[in-house]
Each structure stands twice: as structure tokens, then as C-alpha cells.
Amino acid sequence: MTITPKQVANLIFAVSQLRYFEKELMTDKHNHELNDITIRWQFKVDEVLSEMGVDGFIGREQLLETINLEYKTQNA
């Protein structure tokens, strides 16, 4: 699995947008437009995770180990 800085940035951006709209939706649960936007950001997060190769379950320690191994390999 190779995870690039661009993918990490895309994931952080997508997650931050998702969380923003989720929080907004919690204050107005009947706002259908916010609901639609939130669902679109959920799909975007899924898309970025899929591109990174981590769309299924992966443990935190396994992910850290994989990222560390990739980093070492690229910088050897």
C-alpha cells in the first residue's frame, strides 16, 4: 500500500468537510439540503479511502506499520 501526501491531504480535507456538515445537520436534523451534502461527503471520504487502499477494516497498528514501512522503503 502506497499512501501519498496528496492522498493524506485529500482525506483530511474530506473528513473535515464531512464533520462540519454532520455537526451542522445535528443542529437542524430536518434540513434536507444539509442531509444531502453530508451524504455526498460520506461518499467522498469512502472514495478517498478506496483510492488509498484502506476502504475495508484495517487496524490502527497495522496501518501505522504499513505507512512506516512505505516511508522507510521510499527513503532508503
Side-chain angles (χ1 to χ4, degrees):
M1 167 189 337
T2 300
I3 299 174
T4 67
K6 182 179 178 181
Q7 289 172 317
V8 172
N10 288 341
L11 181 60
I12 292 169
F13 177 73
V15 169
S16 67
Q17 294 297 315
L18 172 59
R19 291 300 297 142
Y20 171 79
F21 287 109
E22 284 176 336
K23 289 175 185 176
E24 290 293 309
L25 186 59
M26 295 306 288
T27 63
D28 186 3
K29 294 183 181 195
H30 301 291
N31 185 325
H32 298 294
E33 183 180 0
L34 277 175
N35 188 54
D36 291 345
I37 293 169
T38 302
I39 290 170
R40 282 197 303 262
W41 279 107
Q42 288 171 338
F43 281 110
K44 183 62 178 174
V45 168
D46 290 343
E47 179 183 305
V48 174
L49 288 171
S50 182
E51 289 172 6
M52 295 172 72
V54 291
D55 51 342
F57 176 80
I58 184 169
R60 182 178 180 273
E61 293 302 317
Q62 181 185 1
L63 182 59
L64 287 171
E65 183 178 311
T66 302
I67 291 170
N68 191 37
L69 288 174
E70 287 292 331
Y71 177 77
K72 286 180 181 178
T73 302
Q74 290 176 1
N75 292 299

